Amino acid sequence: MSTDNNNHSAEGEDEGHIAVAHHPSYGTNILVWIGLLSLTSITVAVAGINLGSLALTVALIIATVKSFFVMNFFMHVKFDNKVLKIFIGVCLLIFIIVLILTFFDLTFRY
Amino acid sequence: MSKPTDTASASEEIHVVHIHRDDFGSKMGMWLFLFTEILLFGGLFILYAGYRFIHPDGFAAAAAELDVLMGAINTVVLLTSSLTVVLAIVALQKNNKKLCFFFLWVTIACGLLFLLNKYFEYSAKFHHGIYPKGPALQDMSEGEVLYFGLYFVMTGLHGLHIIVGLAFIGVVMWQIKKDLITSTNFQKLENSGLYWHLVDIIWIFLFPLLYLIH
């Protein structure tokens, strides 16, 4: 898979800044969609079980996995170059840092 | 943006002049805009997290008012619309314009179905006096009032994004029809897809956080 990606990015560089079609075809995307639907039904099913404080964690983990699939396959991030991946990573990191800092405040205050 | 069309229509001779085109720059610009969207909704998610942390019982009680089935249907509808956008890109890349249009029309239908469901959901809430400053909120606890405030702001802002996304896809469809977007020049379609998928991702988080609290 990784060599495959390298080939793709190399192709992209050869073509300059003109985007070339090297995205997965219909089948892969439909498989990802089926996976996303399954994860949705799992979220709904799990919410019915009384997991207590774990319920939120499980729901968030499933939502994160779903977003990961949407970003990598539907938004083609998996096939994008490194710069874009780093940009996205930094943006998400900033969000997570602010979230964690908020909870430092909240846990000590309440 | 209008440069390629101007040059193309002006005369055939000018056609050989190198037309500046930077698909990666276009994509990067779209992503930079999406980052601002992530931080916009991110702020609301942090607000939600903070208030839910302080009022866990109020949030659980208020969330029980929501229809899980409606939320689940809308999740499936949005996931399907995301699939059809990406399939439209594949179809265009394969130079199958007709199939591309079919998938984009399905996407628009899914977006409208989502908004229709939201309309029914909002109507049911309004009917029960649940809306900002509504009568039902007078008897509720602080946590419940905060929950419904966040519910309307977050789903309302998300709904606006669905409308903008539909308009974006509509413009892109018109450009495909006019051959301004083609199998070798598809970045604008891809960008409209990126926007649509981001709106889908936001819903992926909104659904469990707003509907599935016990």
Side-chain angles (χ1 to χ4, degrees):
Chain A
M1 258 320 195
S2 64
T3 48
D4 219 34
N5 283 342
N6 289 339
N7 286 340
H8 287 323
S9 55
E11 266 174 40
E13 274 154 26
D14 289 340
E15 294 282 340
H17 291 299
I18 306 293
V20 266
H22 44 62
H23 300 137
S25 197
Y26 303 108
T28 318
N29 288 313
I30 291 169
L31 278 179
V32 170
W33 174 68
I34 292 168
L36 289 169
L37 291 186
S38 323
L39 284 168
T40 305
S41 32
I42 292 171
T43 321
V44 177
V46 164
I49 310 164
N50 197 0
L51 289 172
S53 56
L54 261 178
L56 180 62
T57 319
V58 173
L60 284 179
I61 288 172
I62 295 175
T64 309
V65 172
K66 282 167 77 177
S67 309
F68 181 82
F69 276 109
V70 172
M71 281 179 73
N72 274 295
F73 290 94
F74 288 178
M75 296 173 97
H76 298 142
V77 171
K78 188 176 175 359
F79 316 100
D80 272 323
N81 75 5
K82 231 180 198 161
V83 180
L84 197 67
K85 285 178 188 166
I86 293 169
F87 270 41
I88 295 166
V90 169
C91 178
L92 295 179
L93 192 68
I94 290 171
F95 173 69
I96 291 164
I97 289 170
V98 176
L99 189 66
I100 291 170
L101 287 177
T102 309
F103 271 88
F104 272 125
D105 179 56
L106 285 169
T107 39
F108 286 114
R109 203 190 289 256
Y110 293 94
Chain B
M1 209 162 138
S2 61
K3 211 179 173 182
T5 42
D6 291 347
T7 0
S9 58
S11 96
E12 281 301 313
E13 286 167 322
I14 306 173
H15 211 74
V16 288
V17 172
H18 177 72
I19 295 165
H20 177 72
R21 185 176 142 201
D22 186 353
D23 287 341
F24 181 69
S26 168
K27 181 189 279 182
M28 187 63 102
M30 192 65 208
W31 270 103
L32 287 175
F33 170 65
L34 294 188
F35 293 161
T36 69
E37 292 278 24
I38 292 172
L39 297 179
L40 168 69
F41 277 96
L44 289 170
F45 277 115
I46 289 169
L47 198 64
Y48 169 94
Y51 279 142
R52 181 169 170 177
F53 181 80
I54 303 167
H55 304 284
D57 298 332
F59 268 53
E65 298 270 341
L66 262 56
D67 190 344
V68 176
L69 183 67
M70 276 288 216
I73 289 171
N74 263 354
T75 309
V76 172
V77 167
L78 269 200
L79 287 174
T80 308
S81 72
S82 263
L83 172 75
T84 52
V85 166
V86 82
L87 292 184
I89 297 172
V90 176
L92 188 70
Q93 286 172 345
K94 290 188 189 295
N95 222 349
N96 193 341
K97 226 166 121 175
K98 213 174 161 187
L99 192 61
C100 174
F101 266 104
F102 168 75
F103 284 133
L104 289 176
W105 277 120
V106 175
T107 308
I108 288 193
C110 285
L112 292 175
L113 185 61
F114 179 92
L115 290 174
L116 187 70
N117 279 343
K118 266 272 65 79
Y119 165 77
F120 285 130
E121 276 192 281
Y122 274 13
S123 306
K125 294 284 157 301
F126 292 170
H127 188 70
H128 291 110
I130 301 171
Y131 49 86
K133 293 258 175 197
L137 265 64
Q138 312 297 325
D139 312 318
M140 286 183 181
S141 69
E142 202 189 346
E144 285 171 282
V145 174
L146 285 168
Y147 171 89
F148 280 115
L150 282 166
Y151 167 77
F152 282 117
V153 170
M154 292 173 99
T155 58
L157 191 62
H158 180 266
L160 276 179
H161 277 75
I162 294 279
I163 294 169
V164 172
L166 287 175
F168 196 170
I169 290 170
V171 169
V172 161
M173 281 172 83
W174 181 78
Q175 294 194 331
I176 295 171
K177 195 172 185 256
K178 297 272 167 194
D179 278 328
L180 296 170
I181 298 173
T182 58
S183 61
T184 50
N185 186 2
F186 50 82
Q187 191 55 47
K188 273 184 218 157
L189 173 62
E190 174 110 28
N191 283 354
S192 72
L194 286 176
Y195 186 82
W196 193 258
H197 297 310
L198 184 90
V199 175
D200 185 21
I201 287 181
I202 290 163
W203 184 259
I204 286 174
F205 281 95
L206 282 179
F207 172 57
L209 289 176
L210 291 175
Y211 290 77
L212 303 174
I213 312 177
H214 287 280

